[in-house]
Amino acid sequence: MNDKNISVEMDDMYNSVDILDYLVNISFLANKWLMWCESNTPDKSVFVPSIFQMRDAYSHFMALFGKGLEDDNFKSSNKDFNMLFEQKYSLKQLEEAFTHSARAFYDCADYILLTVEQDVAERRKNKEKLFLDLRGKLIDKRDYINKLRSSKSKDMAGSYKNILNWDKYLQVLTSAYIIEDFGIDWHGMINEIKTKINFIESSFSEEMIKNHSPNFYAGKSKLVEIETLPEGLDKYLTIDDYMFNEVIENPTEWCKENIGIIEEKITKAKEYSKELDTLQRMMANTKLISKRNNIIKTVWGFISAFISWFATDILSSVLLHDYTFTSPDQTQSISISKINLFFLFQFVGFCTAIFFIGILIINIVFNRILKKHK
């Protein structure tokens, strides 16, 4: 990186307090991004040269305070403690510590940028398109990156200002990771809802759908609302300079706001998905119940036909008994047909039992099926 050759020239305008202020802030930023690397880079590692630079900055601090101990500046009786930070030797150590801390930051920033570039290039090579390609859009903005890299300054205030600009850019760049993580869940819920809607429309008639959910077709507008990009993300992806003119000024707030909107959309998507699940189960149960009733009607029709046939062709010879009576003088005889009530009761009971057993078996089978659909 061009900024590795930092050599800040001291000027009378900078006193030890100014340098310490810059130094503390830059060290904090460098450590912040080193810790980000440990948690978020693919190999969970940091850029070792940055660690070495921080070590060297620390050594200059120790040299400064070692000199103070040597000169007895830390004794409680010494009221002129400020003399330690006014000595030329101390200012030189602070200058060197600033230089190493700035180098540590730039090394780490360069490592993060290189890591993200490799990640984007690998995804594009594998044709793996992210739902929100925020990282890719930032990486493609080479002009801004080149401007940051070329804005080196031998002036301490100028160097510090450039580091703050780099920090804002890294905040936007790394916010893309956070937003895209939420975007994966968001996109997954959108696809899930579309799949469920397509299944419902292909599996059930329009009449049945309207009977169970009169607002189903109008309710599909919920999906449009859920999959509509938040305004901030839409501008980010469609307006070239939006990120550099607006987002870069407050990247943390921008990230927080858009994540909040995406979380709301995910919550609404989950609720809508549950509604579709409930509707699907209700209609599936209705279809099963209708099918069960049709089977019962078919079974009953078969039994009725069987009874009719059995009664006309078989029972006539069994159910009716002919009895012949003759007159006392044996001159006349009378034939009388009587119903065999005992057989009739047995037959009716048998048919009834068969019918109810069949109905019971059908209900048991369909109830188990219904339970599986709940």
Side-chain angles (χ1 to χ4, degrees):
M1 193 174 209
N2 294 334
D3 299 281
K4 290 179 181 177
N5 298 320
I6 297 169
S7 179
V8 179
E9 294 180 354
M10 293 297 296
D11 194 301
D12 292 340
M13 65 180 290
Y14 296 114
N15 57 39
S16 57
V17 176
D18 294 328
I19 303 173
L20 280 170
D21 183 42
Y22 292 144
L23 184 55
V24 169
N25 290 328
I26 292 174
S27 298
F28 171 79
L29 294 176
N31 275 311
K32 177 181 75 171
W33 292 115
L34 286 169
M35 287 188 290
W36 185 91
C37 289
E38 285 184 295
S39 302
N40 297 280
T41 53
D43 54 358
K44 308 295 182 185
S45 64
V46 297
F47 191 52
V48 175
S50 291
I51 302 296
F52 290 163
Q53 293 292 345
M54 294 299 290
R55 176 203 62 189
D56 292 343
Y58 175 78
S59 69
H60 286 289
F61 259 121
M62 292 302 98
L64 185 154
F65 288 107
K67 179 68 172 174
L69 289 170
E70 183 181 330
D71 296 342
D72 291 333
N73 291 112
F74 298 108
K75 286 185 177 180
S76 58
S77 59
N78 190 344
K79 297 181 180 180
D80 202 13
F81 176 74
N82 290 337
M83 284 295 297
L84 171 64
F85 294 96
E86 294 174 359
Q87 296 175 15
K88 187 174 181 180
Y89 173 84
S90 299
L91 292 174
K92 181 64 177 176
Q93 296 304 319
L94 289 174
E95 173 193 352
E96 293 296 330
F98 175 91
T99 300
H100 286 296
S101 295
R103 286 176 178 170
F105 175 87
Y106 284 125
D107 282 345
C108 184
D110 211 17
Y111 177 69
I112 291 174
L113 188 59
L114 179 62
T115 300
V116 176
E117 285 177 339
Q118 290 175 341
D119 181 39
V120 171
E122 188 67 22
R123 290 179 183 275
R124 289 175 176 175
K125 179 181 177 182
N126 297 331
K127 297 182 179 179
E128 180 185 348
K129 183 171 177 59
L130 290 169
F131 176 53
L132 299 170
D133 192 15
L134 306 182
R135 283 172 268 182
K137 188 172 179 65
L138 276 174
I139 293 300
D140 291 338
K141 286 290 183 181
R142 306 305 306 179
D143 291 345
Y144 191 84
I145 297 172
N146 293 334
K147 180 181 177 181
L148 287 173
R149 280 178 164 163
S150 63
S151 296
K152 62 180 181 179
S153 173
K154 289 189 175 183
D155 175 75
M156 191 174 289
S159 181
Y160 178 63
K161 181 179 179 180
N162 191 44
I163 287 173
L164 293 180
N165 289 334
W166 261 107
D167 178 64
K168 289 179 179 179
Y169 175 78
L170 291 177
Q171 286 184 57
V172 179
L173 185 63
T174 53
S175 294
Y177 277 83
I178 303 172
I179 293 176
E180 284 170 356
D181 286 342
F182 282 93
I184 291 171
D185 294 336
W186 177 26
H187 193 227
M189 288 302 304
I190 291 172
N191 288 335
E192 180 181 309
I193 289 172
K194 288 180 177 178
T195 300
K196 290 179 179 180
I197 289 175
N198 291 335
F199 178 81
I200 288 173
E201 291 180 332
S202 63
S203 301
F204 305 98
S205 67
E206 182 177 341
E207 181 182 359
M208 178 179 282
I209 293 173
K210 288 182 177 179
N211 286 338
H212 286 79
S213 179
N215 298 322
F216 173 79
Y217 292 100
K220 288 168 65 176
S221 60
K222 294 179 184 178
L223 178 59
V224 177
E225 179 185 348
I226 290 170
E227 65 182 348
T228 300
L229 283 173
E231 182 181 0
L233 287 180
D234 184 56
K235 289 181 177 179
Y236 178 100
L237 293 170
T238 56
I239 302 176
D240 286 340
D241 295 329
Y242 176 75
M243 190 276 289
F244 303 105
N245 292 336
E246 298 188 40
V247 178
I248 202 75
E249 292 304 317
N250 196 346
T252 302
E253 185 62 30
W254 177 82
C255 179
K256 181 179 178 182
E257 178 183 348
N258 283 283
I259 286 176
I261 295 173
I262 293 175
E263 285 182 317
E264 289 178 5
K265 289 180 178 290
I266 292 174
T267 300
K268 290 180 180 178
K270 289 179 178 179
E271 293 173 354
Y272 188 31
S273 181
K274 288 181 180 178
E275 290 177 13
L276 294 174
D277 286 338
T278 301
L279 175 60
Q280 181 182 327
R281 285 196 299 268
M282 289 171 58
M283 292 191 294
N285 290 344
T286 299
K287 285 185 72 173
L288 285 170
I289 292 171
S290 177
K291 189 174 181 180
R292 181 195 63 182
N293 293 338
N294 289 335
I295 291 176
I296 291 173
K297 289 179 181 178
T298 301
V299 171
W300 177 244
F302 174 78
I303 292 175
S304 299
F306 173 76
I307 292 174
S308 177
W309 168 79
F310 194 78
T312 55
D313 293 353
I314 304 298
L315 290 185
S316 59
S317 62
V318 179
L319 187 60
L320 297 175
H321 281 205
D322 292 331
Y323 296 93
T324 302
F325 299 93
T326 59
S327 61
D329 57 3
Q330 303 294 320
T331 59
Q332 291 182 343
S333 62
I334 300 173
S335 296
I336 299 175
S337 296
K338 296 184 65 176
I339 296 175
N340 187 343
L341 294 177
F342 179 73
F343 177 79
L344 178 62
F345 290 144
Q346 281 186 322
F347 177 74
V348 172
F350 174 76
C351 291
T352 303
I354 291 297
F355 174 75
F356 282 107
I357 290 173
I359 297 300
L360 180 62
I361 292 173
I362 292 172
N363 281 328
I364 291 173
V365 171
F366 274 89
N367 284 336
R368 289 184 177 181
I369 296 174
L370 286 172
K371 285 181 180 179
K372 290 182 179 179
H373 284 77
K374 289 183 178 180

